[in-house]
Structure formats: C-alpha cells, structure tokens
Amino acid sequence: MKQITIVGGGLVGSLLAVFLAKRGHAVHVYERRSDPRKASVYAGRSINLVVSHRGWTALKAAGVKEAVERIVVPVHARMTHDRDGKLTRLPYSIDGRPIHSVSRGELNKVLLSEADKYPNVTVHFDHRCTSVHLDTATCTFHNEENGENVAVTADVVFGADGAPSAVRQEMMKGRFNFSQEYIEHDYKEIAFPPNADGTPQMDPNCLHIWARRYFMMMGLANQDGGFTGTLFMPHSGEFSFDGIKDEKDLKRFFEAHFADAIPMLPDLTEQYFRNPQSNLAIIRCGPWTHTDKVALIGDAAHAIVPFYGEGMNAGYEDCKVLNDLLNDHGDDNWGVVLDAYNAARKPNGDAIADLSLRNFVEMRDLVADPRFILRKKIEGRMQAKHPDKWLPLYSQVKFTDTPYVDAWNEGLRHDRIMEEVLAMPDIAERWESEEVEMKVLGLLEQV
Ligand SMILES: Cc1cc2nc3c(=O)[nH]c(=O)nc-3n(C[C@H](O)[C@H](O)[C@H](O)COP(=O)(O)OP(=O)(O)OC[C@H]3O[C@@H](n4cnc5c(N)ncnc54)[C@H](O)[C@@H]3O)c2cc1C
C-alpha cells in the first residue's frame, strides 16, 4: 500500500482516485475549488461533454459505469443546420451506436461521490497546490479557507490539475519539453432553454452543428431538455468576437448566420454579453513522469482543442492504461510502471492533439461541404460492405480502443485513398457503383 497524492479532483483526478483506491492505496486528493456537491458551486457553468467508447471502457474498469450511465443523453448523429435552416442528419456510426452527452459538473460530482465510497480516499477541497518537490514527492498546499500552508510527502504524486498544472510547472524547471499553441478561435457558451413544457427545442439525440467555415456553433443536449450551445469564432478579424460590440452587431450576425437558432434563444443578448469568452490551446509536453515519484495525467499532460470531444476520454484512457500497467508490474514497481506509462501514452497524447485540430477543420469547413458529405457516404458504404477492411477514422477514435496514434496513421492512409476516389470522373453519380468499391479495395492493397 502506497501513499498517493493526486493534485486536482476534476474529471480525471476523481476517476484516478477510484482506480487507485480499488488497489488498496491510501489516496489523498487535493482540489483547489470547493466541493461541487455543495449547492450552486456549478451555477452558471454548464458545459457538457461527450463520453465515448474509451471513456466508457475506463469507467467500466473502475466500476463506475452504471453510476455515470444514469446522467447521460445518447447522441446518435450530427445534425447540420445550414443558413436557411435546412437540416441534414449524419449518423455517427452505421450500426446506430451513440456517443453520450453529460454535464461536466454532474459527472464530476458522481465521480467524487464514487471515490468517497472508499475509506482509503480523502478529498481535501479548497487546497491549492503551490509547489512540488519532485525528488521527494512532497507537495505544498495552500488552504484557501484558513490561509495556512501544509506540506505533504507521499510515495507518488499525480498531477491531475488540468491545463495550467502546477505540477507540470515544477517539472518544467528541469529537462522537460513543453509547447503551448493557441488557436485563433475562442469560444463562448450560449444555453438553449427547454420549451415551457420541459421538452427539448431540437432533437436531443443529435449534436447540432451550424458550420460556417470561419466560425461555427454547436449544441449538445442536457438531461433537462435544454442544450448547451458553444460558439467558436476567431478572437479578432472579420467574423470574430471582437467584431460583435453591441446588441445591434449581435442581432445582425445571428440573423445572417444562425437565423434558425434565434427563436430558440430568447435571452441571447443577455447571455452573449454576460458569458465569458475563453481561449483554446494545445499543450504538448514530456516526459510526463519524473523517476518513480511523479506523473502527469489528463489535461496536465495533454491539453487539446475540444473538436474531437476526446480530451476527457483520453484522460480516462490514461487512467485505464496506468491501472493495466499496475496489474502487469505490481504495485511496488512504480519506476517501471511510470516509465511504461510515459512510453505508452505520450505518443497517443500527441496523436489526439493532431486529431483534435483536424476535426476542428472538419467540423468548421467540411461538414457543410458536399465533397465531405460524399466522402462520408462512400466510407459508410465501404464500412457496411467490408467492416473488416474499412473503419473510418472517426469510428476508430470514437468507437474503438485502437491507440490514437494507430488510428491517426490509418486515417492519413484513408485520406490518400479517398483523394484518388473522389477524383474519379462523375463520382457524385456513381459512388454506389461496384467500380468505386473495387477501386477502394484495390487502393487498400497498394497505399
Ligand atoms: C469547450 C470544451 C468542450 C470540451 N468537450 C469535451 C468533450 O466533449 N469530450 C471530452 O472528452 N473532452 C472535452 N473537453 C476536454 C475536457 O474538458 C478536458 O479534457 C477534461 O476536463 C480534462 O480533465 P482533467 O481532470 O485532466 O482537467 P480539469 O477538468 O481541468 O480538472 C483539473 C482540476 O484540477 C484542479 N486544479 C487546478 N490547479 C490546481 C492546483 N494548483 N491545486 C489543486 N487543484 C488544482 C482544478 O480546479 C480542476 O478541478 C472539452 C473542453 C472544452 C474547453
């Protein structure tokens, strides 16, 4: 049994606590915020997230799948909204398998409660990590309530403290690679309320996308019949957050680009000017571990942009892989386990960062592009007829445990093949022909 400190009791830290508690370790989670289960801590911040296959695999391995299943909404398809309000439904999978929408706050509360069930877990809220001595696994925490500082020495420290990670800051003082890349887009949340009778205003089993090339909005269902909308737009320039200065600008902008959403957003102006505008960055770093003492996990190791909806799922997969490595090597070989963890996960962290950027382009530009829709149709047909030979990149990422790095390489191969297929004469008319099918199968042998 080891003494383990987890810095950060967010989505990943709380699940990691469950995994390590099940193994019998003495787990102390230090979270800078107050307990979200106490009333209204989450008020005004209702981001929801997509849980997909990898997330579920990890939740199941930790024994908390059923508890999370109670708070999700299944999402079977993308629903694109064009400028005229025309809707197009694009299923996520050919066999009807859904991804799931969940409230970030509710998920965090459920996982903290699951962790609390173990007598060997203690969660210390209102404790902010201010420094870490890496060689001795000693963290100093500032108690936000009484102003005192406390130093805690453990056998192993996990930095599950998200993108701004204090643990990573400490690692950066040594031989450590780090890059942070802001994208030009920021985001802002706009909530779509339910109808007066509590029913949803749009199909709740779809992720709604208003793709407008330079910017986009998406909407994901909440359990209460409402949707959380997220507007992604450049920080500055034409079509940007900077370009919307007052109510008139906002009205003009929504009328031109998201007209069908206006009747569903009665308090759009109030929300738009009240809700914060947040930026988005990708953090790549490494190594994620320091000797047998310290490891980064979740966003602290790999903060990505949210366009694949995989940041949390990747963090959950980190937890599952770590648990598998502890199964393989035992709970007394932390040097071996942490080295293997870094070797297994770091390339996948980089791959999902690349994938998240790629999906940004896909969602923003391509979902509204007829060639993209045609490609999806051809891929869907190939998958239906030859499931052993063709699994689209999106399905590999969202519906399998294929390592992200392998999925990414296979996706690049698919791009090369589909480029040739889409260049075939009259492809829009004969995409369902045997000739096209044979062409894809032939290219699969060569490319
Ligand atoms: C708009 C948006 C949409 C997203 N959609 C999805 C999605 O659909 N699916 C998906 O899988 N992912 C999604 N993500 C990504 C997801 O939110 C993150 O990957 C996930 O929250 C990472 O969890 P984490 O626990 O590693 O970090 P965080 O959720 O950031 O949690 C870190 C915790 O550490 C605490 N902390 C920070 N510093 C300290 C300190 N010094 N001392 C003590 N505690 C500290 C914080 O208070 C927090 O509770 C989205 C992200 C954004 C921004």
Side-chain angles (χ1 to χ4, degrees):
M1 191 260 277
K2 299 284 181 198
Q3 293 290 329
I4 304 214
T5 295
I6 299 177
V7 182
L11 298 178
V12 173
S14 51
L15 182 68
L16 180 64
V18 174
F19 269 114
L20 295 173
K22 275 172 98 74
R23 308 189 71 86
H25 297 295
V27 181
H28 288 265
V29 181
Y30 292 85
E31 167 54 50
R32 74 174 171 192
R33 293 171 307 164
S34 303
D35 189 339
R37 292 162 297 182
K38 295 190 178 151
S40 79
V41 170
Y42 265 96
R45 186 172 162 83
S46 67
I47 286 189
N48 46 18
L49 304 139
V50 167
V51 190
S52 56
H53 177 81
R54 290 162 210 271
W56 287 118
T57 305
L59 292 165
K60 186 172 176 202
V64 297
K65 182 167 173 259
E66 286 71 24
V68 176
E69 272 171 348
R70 287 194 277 274
I71 56 166
V72 300
V73 178
V75 179
H76 292 274
R78 304 175 176 99
M79 185 75 87
T80 63
H81 295 234
D82 77 7
R83 279 200 171 74
D84 301 324
K86 189 177 149 240
L87 303 179
T88 307
R89 191 175 184 278
L90 293 168
Y92 278 120
S93 66
I94 56 162
D95 52 5
R97 277 211 282 166
I99 53 179
H100 293 88
S101 170
V102 67
S103 145
R104 169 192 296 273
E106 290 307 311
L107 178 58
N108 202 179
K109 288 186 210 169
V110 164
L111 292 180
L112 286 168
S113 297
E114 290 296 316
D116 266 352
K117 288 182 182 165
Y118 290 86
N120 48 333
V121 173
T122 312
V123 186
H124 309 260
F125 291 102
D126 302 298
H127 276 72
R128 179 167 51 87
C129 178
T130 52
S131 68
V132 186
H133 191 269
L134 301 175
D135 290 334
T136 59
T138 303
C139 300
T140 304
F141 297 99
H142 180 76
N143 184 327
E144 306 280 5
E145 284 202 310
N146 63 18
E148 284 174 9
N149 292 321
V150 51
V152 180
T153 298
D155 295 305
V156 185
V157 170
F158 282 95
D161 46 347
S165 173
V167 179
R168 193 187 61 236
Q169 301 287 342
E170 210 66 48
M171 292 166 84
M172 284 169 69
K173 293 177 185 164
R175 209 177 141 72
F176 189 80
N177 295 313
F178 174 80
S179 76
Q180 175 167 294
E181 185 191 337
Y182 282 98
I183 62 166
E184 58 174 326
H185 285 60
D186 287 356
Y187 72 92
K188 187 187 276 281
E189 283 184 27
I190 315 263
F192 288 71
N195 291 312
D197 62 0
T199 54
Q201 300 197 68
M202 298 183 282
D203 182 343
N205 300 121
C206 291
L207 185 148
H208 294 262
I209 305 179
W210 291 256
R212 301 291 182 261
R213 194 161 286 269
Y214 300 107
F215 51 89
M216 68 171 184
M217 183 165 72
M218 50 176 267
L220 199 52
N222 297 313
Q223 268 195 325
D224 66 358
F227 284 75
T228 300
T230 313
L231 177 60
F232 295 94
M233 263 202 312
H235 190 81
S236 54
E238 201 191 356
F239 308 123
S240 69
F241 283 110
D242 275 5
I244 299 178
K245 301 235 181 292
D246 55 27
E247 193 176 341
K248 261 206 269 163
D249 293 341
L250 179 68
K251 195 163 174 269
R252 228 184 349 249
F253 180 75
F254 263 70
E255 276 170 356
H257 304 292
F258 306 126
D260 68 329
I262 296 175
M264 296 189 273
L265 295 167
D267 59 347
L268 170 64
T269 307
E270 195 205 332
Q271 284 200 64
Y272 183 90
F273 291 105
R274 184 194 60 212
N275 294 351
Q277 175 185 333
S278 308
N279 47 43
L280 294 166
I282 291 189
I283 291 174
R284 295 169 208 258
C285 66
W288 292 359
T289 55
H290 177 87
T291 68
D292 59 346
K293 294 282 183 227
V294 181
L296 300 175
I297 196 158
D299 273 20
H302 47 77
I304 60 177
V305 289
F307 304 105
Y308 234 113
E310 278 292 296
M312 171 195 68
N313 289 291
Y316 284 177
E317 196 171 55
D318 293 342
C319 297
K320 161 83 167 51
V321 168
L322 180 84
N323 190 56
D324 291 346
L325 290 167
L326 286 166
N327 287 341
D328 292 347
H329 301 288
D331 290 62
D332 289 317
N333 278 318
W334 283 87
V336 174
V337 167
L338 294 191
D339 277 355
Y341 163 76
N342 180 60
R345 294 307 290 163
K346 160 75 180 147
N348 286 302
D350 290 341
I352 191 59
D354 291 342
L355 283 161
S356 69
L357 265 180
R358 176 193 166 109
N359 223 42
F360 172 46
V361 175
E362 190 160 313
M363 288 178 84
R364 187 193 59 179
D365 301 356
L366 302 180
V367 171
D369 177 348
R371 260 173 83 82
F372 171 79
I373 294 170
L374 179 59
R375 173 175 167 167
K376 287 276 168 207
K377 284 193 207 159
I378 299 171
E379 289 199 67
R381 184 164 185 273
M382 287 307 295
Q383 187 187 358
K385 293 197 84 173
H386 304 280
D388 52 328
K389 292 202 168 79
W390 192 279
L391 190 57
L393 174 60
Y394 189 87
S395 301
Q396 291 189 45
V397 172
K398 293 308 253 189
F399 298 113
T400 76
D401 298 308
T402 305
Y404 289 125
V405 70
D406 296 344
W408 186 207
N409 288 332
E410 182 67 355
L412 292 172
R413 195 164 79 101
H414 285 180
D415 284 353
R416 293 194 289 276
I417 292 172
M418 291 314 284
E419 210 168 294
E420 288 203 32
V421 172
L422 289 170
M424 290 170 78
D426 303 323
I427 183 69
E429 282 77 51
R430 57 200 185 102
W431 65 273
E432 283 181 291
S433 67
E434 204 183 325
E435 190 195 347
V436 171
E437 185 182 335
M438 288 304 137
K439 171 96 175 171
V440 177
L441 291 176
L443 287 169
L444 269 173
E445 301 289 315
Q446 299 160 25
V447 176

